[in-house]
Amino acid sequence: MKDIFYLVLPHQKTEKIIFFSTLVWFLCFSLYFALSVDFSCHHELMGYDSDFYIGEGRNPKLMLNKLISWNLRHPLYVMINLPVLLIDALLPSRLHWAIFALFSSTIMAGSNLLIYKICKQSSVGNISTLISIILFPTFAHIMLLSGLAETYVLTIYFVLLLILLALTKRSTRFSDNIIFAILTGTTLTNCIYFFFVKLWEATGNIKNAIFTTLKSTFLFVPLLIITMTGLAFRYFVKHIPLMEAILNDTHKFVHDSHIQPSTIWNHYFADPFLFHYTDQVVHTSNAEVLPSYPSPLFHLAIIFLLLFALWGVIKSKPLLRNICLSFFAYNIIIHFVCGYGNNELQLFCGHWLFFIPIFIAIGLNSISGKTARRVFQFAILGCAIFFAIHNSYCYITSIHACSL
């Protein structure tokens, strides 16, 4: 437990500056949304029903009832949010949004701090690392800032922590059980991400990875059994068909329609970096219609970052490279083979896109010539500034568009 606290907390001056400056950045977006939107209109921020958590539905007892009513995809997610709900219940109504914004933004800032520590653990120089830390917040809010610690926010944080533990060789059975419970409780499919980290931590030994993963379930399984009482109630008392009782509303997110290459590019690669339109923050009926960017330069900036990140993948250590490629391949199978979440791909990239700033930092560090390295550092920094200006403008204008 001591190792976990040591890794997640900022220590020296640089880490404290990174954490608190990122926290202020994300809080600004959250609070601007809170001050600009009428929550009585039941807006959905970044695809999630904000009103359910900060409006009339905000109720610790209700969330506990949800815990035992069987939610296959998120059996422990309500438990993670429960402390925030209890604090929120004690605060005046004017502070309801603030507690959720602070919780979510703190986790986001912590993710950026973990990215910094992973870069330093990978022996990346200070300037290249700081540029990647500047880049991450300029696009991360598009897919992750939901005003509360949603599944994508929690996934990115605890996966980064799991990777950092693997890189520093500080994983213990205790830390593995905690992280597995939170990751898998947040979304059951996250157990595969946990397995991938353990697989490559064991240098590809599948038997050891399976054994380690099974030993990490001791904390999760008892809590999962509690939620299964809800499954038994749905099947034996409410007489809901078994598959429907198990899957709940998961089938709503599975689409059999043919995926166009433009959809893959727009949703899976372009959307997480740059807004396509000005009504994306609050989802509307035409949210899936993606008009072109004003200029091909938008696409070129994204292609440049992705190619440079790919260069970083090639130059990275085997452990990081294998984990990233495994995560990416798994997401491809989920979305483009199984067809799950095809209407939310810009959100599902939260399960792998946080690797981009890490590999960009590694790629920058691998350039031998000082002049060439400086050129690429300025190019990446220019992309970060461009992303920050464009995304902030679209964020603000989309909120005002939905408030009219």
Side-chain angles (χ1 to χ4, degrees), residues 69-319:
S69 65
W70 181 259
N71 185 332
L72 178 66
R73 290 182 295 131
H74 311 294
L76 295 182
Y77 174 58
V78 293
M79 290 297 292
I80 296 169
N81 270 316
L82 188 60
V84 184
L85 287 166
L86 293 173
I87 295 173
D88 176 68
L90 301 174
L91 295 175
S93 58
R94 292 181 179 179
L95 297 178
H96 287 329
W97 173 263
I99 182 62
F100 288 99
L102 181 61
F103 184 37
S104 177
S105 298
T106 299
I107 294 178
M108 289 295 294
S111 297
N112 208 21
L113 177 61
L114 292 177
I115 289 174
Y116 171 82
K117 292 189 176 187
I118 289 173
C119 290
K120 298 306 294 182
Q121 190 65 32
S122 302
S123 303
V124 178
N126 290 332
I127 296 178
S128 297
T129 299
L130 290 176
I131 288 176
S132 69
I133 295 307
I134 293 172
L135 173 67
F136 177 70
T138 66
F139 69 83
H141 64 277
I142 298 179
M143 60 178 177
L144 297 175
L145 187 60
S146 56
L148 59 144
E150 248 289 357
T151 58
Y152 307 101
V153 180
L154 292 168
T155 295
I156 187 174
Y157 181 81
F158 286 100
V159 165
L160 285 169
L161 177 57
L162 182 64
I163 293 173
L164 185 57
L165 284 167
L167 290 174
T168 57
K169 302 185 185 304
R170 295 191 178 191
S171 295
T172 64
R173 183 178 297 185
F174 180 72
S175 65
D176 284 347
N177 268 269
I178 292 177
I179 295 177
F180 183 90
I182 295 176
L183 269 179
T184 309
T186 299
T187 301
L188 275 181
T189 52
N190 281 351
C191 66
I192 304 298
Y193 299 120
F194 184 95
F195 170 77
F196 281 144
V197 174
K198 293 304 170 183
L199 173 65
W200 299 117
E201 192 178 5
T203 61
N205 190 316
I206 297 179
K207 182 179 179 180
N208 284 352
I210 293 175
F211 185 63
T212 302
T213 301
L214 289 176
K215 288 194 301 182
S216 304
T217 62
F218 295 145
L219 177 61
F220 173 75
V221 170
L223 297 173
L224 180 63
I225 291 174
I226 294 175
T227 69
M228 292 183 67
T229 59
L231 174 61
F233 176 79
R234 288 160 62 84
Y235 180 70
F236 292 107
V237 179
K238 300 188 71 174
H239 303 292
I240 298 176
L242 182 61
M243 291 307 298
E244 183 180 343
I246 294 175
L247 294 176
N248 201 1
D249 62 346
T250 300
H251 64 279
K252 296 179 182 178
F253 299 92
V254 179
H255 294 254
D256 297 323
S257 58
H258 180 67
I259 303 175
Q260 300 293 332
S262 60
T263 304
I264 297 176
W265 170 255
N266 288 332
H267 281 256
Y268 209 63
F269 293 105
D271 239 19
F273 287 108
L274 289 168
F275 279 101
H276 271 87
Y277 38 78
T278 58
D279 63 350
Q280 186 178 9
V281 174
V282 181
H283 277 227
T284 61
S285 59
N286 63 346
E288 295 184 20
V289 179
L290 302 177
S292 300
Y293 284 124
S295 167
L297 292 176
F298 285 70
H299 293 286
L300 290 176
I302 297 169
I303 292 172
F304 168 70
L305 285 182
L306 291 173
L307 288 177
F308 201 87
L310 181 60
W311 168 253
V313 172
I314 296 172
K315 303 300 291 185
S316 65
K317 295 179 181 179
L319 176 59

